[in-house]
Amino acid sequence: MPANETAPPAKKKGRRARLIVLVLVLALFAGLGYGAYWGVDSVRASFPQTTGSLKVPGLTGTVDVKRDAHGIPQLYADNDDDLFRAQGFVHAQDRFWEMDVRRHMTSGRLSEMFGSGQVETDAFLRTLGWRQVAEAEYENKLSPETKKYLQAYADGVNAYLKGKSGKDLSVEHAALKLSDDYQPEQWSPVDSVAWLKAMAWDLRGNMQDEIDRALMASKLSQAQIDELYPPYPFDRNKPIVEGGKVEGGKYTPQTSGSTGSTGTGSNGTGSGSGTALGSQASTSQAGTGTATGTGLADNVTAQGATVGLRNQLTALAATLDKVPAILGPNGSGIGSNSWVVSGKYTTTGKPLLANDPHLSPQLPSVWYQMGLHCRTVSAQCQYDVAGYTFSGMPGVVIGHNADIAWGMTNLGADVTDLFLEQVKPEGYVYDGKVLPFATREEVIKVAGGDSKKITVRTTNNGPLVSDRSEELATVGTRAPVASSAPDRGDGYAVALRWTALDPGKTMDSVFKLNRAKTFDDFRKAAADFDVPSQNLIYADNKGLNGNIGYQAPGRIPMRGQGDGRMPTPGWDSKYAWKGGKDGNAGYIPQSEMPFDSNPSRGYIVTANQAVVESGTGAGKYPYLLTTDWGYGARSQRINDLIEAKIKDGGKISTDDMRTMQMDNSSEIAALLTPMLAKIQVSDPGVRAAQKLLDGWNYTQEPDSAAAAYFNAVWRNILKLSFGDKMPKELRIEGSCMNVLGNGTGPADDLAKTVRECGTRGPDSAQPDGGDRWFEVVRRLVKDEKSQWWSSPRTLTQPATTTRDELFARAMKDARWELTAKLGKDQSTWSWGRLHQLNLKNQTIGTEGPGFMQWLLNRGPWNLGGGEATVNATGWNASSGYGVTWVPSMRMVVNLNDLDKSRWINLTGASGHAYNSHYTDQTTMWAKGELLEWPFGKDAVEKATVDTLTLKPAGS
């Protein structure tokens, strides 16, 4: 296995048994046994037909599917229904395994495919109720037109499925059918809608931060926690929108545009005093202080209060880790880049728009490139659009039509809150009364085993996620509470309030975006984009230089007391989300959400930085969107690159946009390297490594030895200064520490050891090294004697008490770590050898033994870039250097000539493991190359290598 892969979770014997069967079957399919019968023909059986003609029931006219040399399809039809019916058919041709796994995941039915090892994940997802919410959206929220398109899409998928056996669908389906007679069921419109819930979960905001802060309180003081979550640096990193205001129920952008930073100021969050768990007097007196401030600090004293809740949140964090194993890590790394430049500053005279969303690397990629074209745009056939789609969902999610282009990045709004609930046999306490739970029974069917029944209980603050684990059943009984708090009884439960659990209209928004022709159309479409909350950027080709714009959409709650940073008391209505009865929340009005249009600076950048500066006073936004923004390292670098290019009359080209996307500059390296170069070290091996940093320009190219050494130093700085001080619940699973005395006593003090091991999964362990940690260290390096620079002595290293002592120790640890990983000869070192991308086939490729992973997975690719660089190839500093999230695609749209736009996908069009388009774009993606993106009919025809005509069944 590659070095950055981890062993599967424990307690998965049922799934392991099934996977062993799958390994054997897939081995046969690969021609590794039993000759020609299980050879190449069986593997190719599921490959799609891409030439000639096929009859598709339900079509009223012909649809042409034109594929280019990379298998990317462009569809041409005469009416909307035929267009989306054909989209469903083609998606299923290339990606039905992916689609089938996704719909089982979103409905909490993975156990039906993979056995007992998925029961716990299914139970958690059933508790959230994604499927029920999707059903409510389809029945009660979506427009008749949208429902018609969803049904047409589903009919297209089912037309493809008709009469096909397992091996006709995919190698993976064939294996499932042979082992357990698994038969895929018909696709439904709700299957498509439910996928939006999965994406919303992946981009849900600060829920992990909320848990982490609560867990930190068991070991760190409130002041220490505040140092690890500093305020956004508005004095240095620009927000997306500057200087707008809310008046008369409407948001008005700054008409003169933005010309620079707005200066210093609070981000409207405040640090407070005390935490939801109660503060503590010092780290040596954990849990002995009295809590003051907001959240549960009003209700709970800290002595012992963290014990039960700590166990509960730890278990919740462990449960959450199993869901991102499918969808991707959620934390400071997840984000995206997008920016748009006005035609005033481009070589084309019209806007250029770039986008690269950051998600976990998946095989196949989460995106599927496609064009949806009406031969003649009319009232009966309204679409002429191309871009990135989700397999399993109609329409284009990110892309352009003939008039406009749009991109997305995660806004990062705080749309989740954890509520502690006092539970009694007859219900839960709310404002002194006992209210009954809303309950439902769920039956989880298990392949090869007995079904499991669960009861889902829901309060007016959301479902009880704590019901899904024995560890979450109670919050402990030892903590004393203030007289104003309800009796603990057997403990508090935990409920999850999340905007995505309220039915919405995001699917309507997708089709409106696809048809939009103006900025007004675009904003009206954005108003329905409920979840996940995204930064939407815009460009069009109207007028002399075109127009650019930005809109912040999304359903963002207005809270009563509290700011969402910590778990809050569910029994007190003062902490409930505002504006609704019976738990129905009020949200920030869409008319008051920030937007911008043609700012005078001539460009707009969104890269998960602060949208606006919240607070009171001139130029401040009156609502709290979140306290957990990205800290702006990427966004400000993009701002600086654009400014450098356009100053003194310079212009930006399409290739300039591509070059910016591949920028590997490290902000933290620029800050720390000069300090590291001055440190006196005696070890000749460390001195030799230190010399690698001489003259380094701080760019993290894959062949850079300096980048390899610096990132190893950075990782060890984080471990020594922060990681070893974290509670075990946040440290990487399996990382064990021997605490050897107090670091200052006599030699026999070394005999007094305490062994403590981390429990957190590799994707969410802390410190992860993201740009929040850049900001933490930036603020601390000025204090050479900060308590954070203290580290205890070990058998081989002395204790440290100052910044330079700790840095010297980190440099030594990094030198010998790289010697072990890359060899003694540092001339052979390179960042790419450490920082590798391995692509894993969905589900089966992540859970099977090494042989199965070899069969279905691909890699490694040595990458440049890193944490918080524009070329954002993320890695978690707690768990290693392997790539954990990536720019999942890249695109540059040329609004002057759409046929000169460029795009690339992480993998390829096909989800079939041995198809030539399985990973045919990956090497180009890794090099930063972009493919031509034909859009007009002539350009598409020129690029076409295969044409398949879909015909009505009766023709």
Side-chain angles (χ1 to χ4, degrees):
M1 294 184 187
N4 64 319
E5 292 181 6
T6 57
K11 299 180 181 180
K12 295 190 177 179
K13 294 181 180 179
R15 180 165 27 164
R16 280 304 182 100
R18 286 174 53 74
L19 289 175
I20 290 172
V21 174
L22 295 178
V23 170
L24 297 176
V25 174
L26 291 171
L28 299 177
F29 278 178
L32 301 177
Y34 294 97
Y37 181 76
W38 293 110
V40 174
D41 288 343
S42 295
V43 175
R44 292 181 178 274
S46 60
F47 287 9
Q49 179 178 336
T50 59
T51 61
S53 63
L54 287 171
K55 293 184 177 181
V56 176
L59 286 180
T60 61
T62 61
V63 179
D64 292 324
V65 182
K66 297 178 179 290
R67 293 177 184 261
D68 67 9
H70 293 277
I72 300 170
Q74 305 277 346
L75 279 55
Y76 289 85
D78 291 320
N79 61 73
D80 294 340
D81 284 1
D82 281 358
L83 190 61
F84 293 117
R85 185 173 281 104
Q87 185 182 19
F89 187 92
V90 173
H91 272 164
Q93 279 189 305
D94 281 330
R95 298 285 191 93
F96 186 69
W97 169 254
E98 174 192 21
M99 293 164 61
D100 204 16
V101 170
R102 282 179 178 177
R103 68 164 164 183
H104 279 79
M105 177 194 62
T106 57
S107 57
R109 296 170 53 210
L110 286 169
S111 300
E112 295 179 20
M113 298 181 78
F114 303 107
S116 60
Q118 291 288 358
V119 167
E120 187 175 343
T121 297
D122 282 347
F124 182 75
L125 294 174
R126 297 278 188 104
T127 299
L128 294 182
W130 290 356
R131 180 74 182 190
Q132 284 80 4
V133 179
E135 289 172 349
E137 285 186 1
Y138 182 75
E139 293 298 329
N140 304 318
K141 289 290 186 177
L142 300 180
S143 70
E145 182 180 57
T146 295
K147 293 166 76 169
K148 183 178 69 168
Y149 295 159
L150 287 164
Q151 186 61 61
Y153 181 92
D155 290 344
V157 176
N158 294 328
Y160 175 76
L161 295 178
K162 187 176 181 180
K164 288 184 170 58
S165 64
K167 74 173 185 177
D168 297 324
L169 297 172
S170 71
V171 168
E172 297 93 334
H173 277 110
L176 285 176
K177 183 171 179 61
L178 286 174
S179 61
D180 276 318
D181 197 29
Y182 172 76
Q183 183 63 45
E185 64 195 35
Q186 293 283 287
W187 193 265
S188 78
V190 177
D191 292 331
S192 297
V193 178
W195 180 238
L196 290 169
K197 301 303 168 188
M199 293 309 298
W201 179 258
D202 210 18
L203 303 170
R204 63 192 178 274
N206 75 336
M207 184 174 174
Q208 193 69 59
D209 287 326
E210 188 174 341
I211 293 170
D212 289 354
R213 280 189 287 261
L215 291 171
M216 285 178 187
S218 68
K219 194 170 182 179
L220 304 177
S221 70
Q222 182 59 43
Q224 290 173 314
I225 294 172
D226 288 344
E227 284 187 299
L228 301 186
Y229 288 88
Y232 185 88
F234 285 99
D235 58 329
R236 189 174 66 256
N237 296 341
K238 297 177 185 177
I240 298 171
V241 177
E242 300 175 83
K245 59 185 177 181
V246 174
E247 284 185 344
K250 293 183 179 181
Y251 182 87
T252 303
Q254 181 174 283
T255 54
S256 62
S258 301
T259 57
S261 174
T262 56
T264 61
S266 166
N267 62 352
T269 64
S271 61
S273 60
T275 75
L277 301 175
S279 60
Q280 52 199 39
S282 70
T283 53
S284 62
Q285 297 174 305
T288 60
T290 300
T292 61
T294 63
L296 286 186
D298 293 332
N299 300 293
V300 184
T301 56
Q303 185 174 7
T306 63
V307 176
L309 184 58
R310 181 182 180 186
N311 291 339
Q312 184 147 357
L313 291 170
T314 300
L316 177 57
T319 302
L320 297 180
D321 271 346
K322 295 179 181 179
V323 180
I326 301 165
L327 297 174
N330 180 276
S332 68
I334 286 293
S336 302
N337 300 323
S338 72
W339 64 96
V340 60
V341 182
S342 167
K344 292 185 297 182
Y345 298 111
T346 68
T347 58
T348 68
K350 291 290 173 69
L352 295 172
L353 185 151
N355 197 188
D356 53 283
H358 306 157
L359 298 168
S360 75
Q362 297 184 18
L363 182 59
S365 166
V366 70
W367 300 109
Y368 184 96
Q369 295 149 290
M370 179 178 272
L372 300 173
H373 306 279
C374 291
R375 293 188 179 99
T376 302
V377 176
S378 66
Q380 289 72 41
C381 201
Q382 306 175 73
Y383 296 88
D384 188 18
V385 61
Y388 294 86
T389 70
F390 290 144
S391 301
M393 199 180 94
V396 170
V397 179
I398 294 174
H400 71 80
N401 58 32
D403 299 289
I404 77 163
W406 70 96
M408 298 184 190
T409 64
N410 194 23
L411 192 149
D414 186 357
V415 295
T416 60
D417 277 344
L418 297 175
F419 285 87
L420 301 189
E421 306 284 359
Q422 201 230 9
V423 173
K424 293 181 175 295
E426 63 274 23
Y428 62 99
V429 174
Y430 191 73
D431 282 348
K433 299 178 181 179
V434 178
L435 304 180
F437 292 107
T439 63
R440 68 176 189 274
E441 298 290 330
E442 296 276 357
V443 177
I444 300 171
K445 296 179 180 179
V446 181
D450 295 331
S451 297
K452 179 178 179 180
K453 182 183 290 186
I454 65 170
T455 300
V456 177
R457 299 188 296 172
T458 301
T459 74
N460 56 12
N461 291 315
L464 290 186
V465 290
S466 53
D467 281 350
R468 300 285 69 88
S469 167
E470 291 182 4
E471 289 181 289
L472 291 170
T474 68
V475 295
T477 59
R478 290 184 289 173
V481 294
S483 59
S484 59
D487 180 68
R488 273 187 178 273
D490 292 330
Y492 296 139
V494 176
L496 172 64
R497 191 79 172 92
W498 179 32
T499 56
L501 299 184
D502 294 336
K505 299 189 292 183
T506 302
M507 200 69 241
D508 281 350
S509 177
V510 171
F511 295 114
K512 290 180 180 179
L513 283 172
N514 287 194
R515 298 191 303 261
K517 295 181 180 297
T518 66
F519 190 50
D520 285 344
D521 294 342
F522 174 79
R523 292 191 64 210
K524 289 175 183 176
D528 288 335
F529 206 102
D530 297 315
V531 294
S533 185
Q534 298 289 286
N535 296 305
L536 296 179
I537 61 166
Y538 167 93
D540 68 34
N541 51 20
K542 306 295 190 298
L544 179 62
N545 296 125
N547 300 287
I548 65 174
Y550 163 82
Q551 177 67 59
R555 185 187 288 154
I556 301 174
M558 294 188 290
R559 293 171 174 83
Q561 292 189 18
D563 58 11
R565 289 171 58 85
M566 289 282 190
T568 51
W571 54 80
D572 190 338
S573 62
K574 294 195 301 289
Y575 292 89
W577 290 4
K578 287 183 179 179
K581 297 180 180 179
D582 301 323
N584 294 318
Y587 302 108
I588 299 173
Q590 279 295 309
S591 62
E592 299 182 19
M593 290 290 285
F595 75 96
D596 207 351
S597 177
N598 291 326
S600 63
R601 66 181 177 274
Y603 62 89
I604 300 170
V605 176
T606 85
N608 317 114
Q609 79 270 39
V611 173
V612 291
E613 187 170 5
S614 297
T616 58
K620 301 292 182 67
Y621 187 64
Y623 299 111
L624 178 65
L625 299 178
T626 186
T627 63
D628 292 301
W629 303 112
Y631 280 79
R634 282 180 288 111
S635 63
Q636 194 56 44
R637 175 62 177 172
I638 297 168
N639 274 297
D640 292 343
L641 290 170
I642 294 173
E643 287 284 358
K645 191 70 180 177
I646 66 176
K647 71 178 181 180
D648 301 324
K651 301 284 187 177
I652 292 176
S653 68
T654 300
D655 196 57
D656 290 332
M657 301 285 274
R658 182 200 65 81
T659 301
M660 291 177 193
Q661 288 179 323
M662 295 302 296
D663 182 80
N664 287 328
S665 177
S666 170
E667 179 187 46
I668 195 65
L671 174 69
L672 296 184
T673 298
M675 299 179 189
L676 297 174
K678 295 177 181 178
I679 292 176
Q680 299 296 315
V681 292
S682 58
D683 188 305
V686 179
R687 281 204 310 273
Q690 185 183 36
K691 288 184 178 297
L692 292 173
L693 303 178
D694 291 348
W696 181 43
N697 63 357
Y698 318 130
T699 59
Q700 301 169 103
E701 301 300 330
D703 61 353
S704 171
Y709 181 58
F710 173 79
N711 280 309
V713 174
W714 170 239
R715 180 176 184 241
N716 280 279
I717 288 173
L718 292 172
K719 177 180 181 295
L720 293 169
S721 53
F722 308 107
D724 290 349
K725 299 176 179 68
M726 293 284 173
K728 66 180 186 295
E729 293 85 1
L730 270 67
R731 296 204 316 272
I732 184 74
E733 183 178 10
S735 65
C736 299
M737 295 191 327
N738 288 322
V739 180
L740 305 176
N742 61 14
T744 59
D748 61 359
D749 200 27
L750 293 176
K752 300 175 183 177
T753 64
V754 176
R755 189 159 180 81
E756 187 181 72
C757 296
T759 62
R760 181 62 69 83
D763 288 339
S764 57
Q766 293 295 332
D768 62 17
D771 69 352
R772 172 166 66 88
W773 293 101
F774 287 19
E775 190 65 22
V776 169
V777 172
R778 178 188 296 278
R779 290 165 180 262
L780 289 175
V781 289
K782 302 172 185 176
D783 182 359
E784 296 185 19
K785 295 184 179 180
S786 167
Q787 60 182 333
W788 295 106
W789 306 131
S790 299
S791 63
R793 64 172 171 164
T794 68
L795 291 173
T796 59
Q797 295 270 41
T800 68
T801 59
T802 69
R803 180 196 68 195
D804 286 355
E805 288 174 351
L806 186 139
F807 282 12
R809 180 166 166 180
M811 292 170 68
K812 183 175 183 179
D813 289 349
R815 173 60 168 100
W816 301 117
E817 180 187 2
L818 293 196
T819 298
K821 290 181 180 295
L822 301 179
K824 186 176 181 179
D825 183 0
Q826 65 187 37
S827 69
T828 67
W829 291 1
S830 71
W831 175 226
R833 286 180 62 199
L834 280 178
H835 192 53
Q836 293 186 327
L837 169 68
N838 287 278
L839 293 173
K840 300 181 182 181
N841 180 277
Q842 190 166 333
T843 304
I844 289 181
T846 63
E847 297 293 345
F851 174 75
M852 178 180 289
Q853 296 182 23
W854 172 83
L855 199 65
L856 295 176
N857 299 345
R858 300 291 182 267
W861 284 267
N862 295 348
L863 300 185
E867 281 288 336
T869 61
V870 181
N871 182 23
T873 56
W875 54 287
N876 187 307
S878 288
S879 56
Y881 304 96
V883 176
T884 58
W885 50 271
V886 294
S888 55
M889 61 81 158
R890 298 187 185 99
M891 74 175 193
V892 178
V893 182
N894 181 336
L895 273 296
N896 182 61
D897 186 346
L898 292 169
D899 290 329
K900 292 183 179 178
S901 300
R902 299 292 183 264
W903 62 354
I904 198 77
N905 204 352
L906 173 64
T907 60
S910 180
H912 300 286
Y914 300 97
N915 189 281
S916 61
H917 302 309
Y918 191 47
T919 56
D920 63 333
Q921 297 185 52
T922 307
T923 298
M924 291 179 288
W925 171 93
K927 294 178 180 178
E929 297 173 1
L930 299 175
L931 297 174
E932 292 185 357
W933 181 357
F935 179 72
K937 186 176 180 179
D938 291 343
V940 170
E941 192 64 40
K942 182 179 179 181
T944 297
V945 297
D946 287 335
T947 299
L948 173 68
T949 300
L950 305 179
K951 297 181 177 181
S955 61

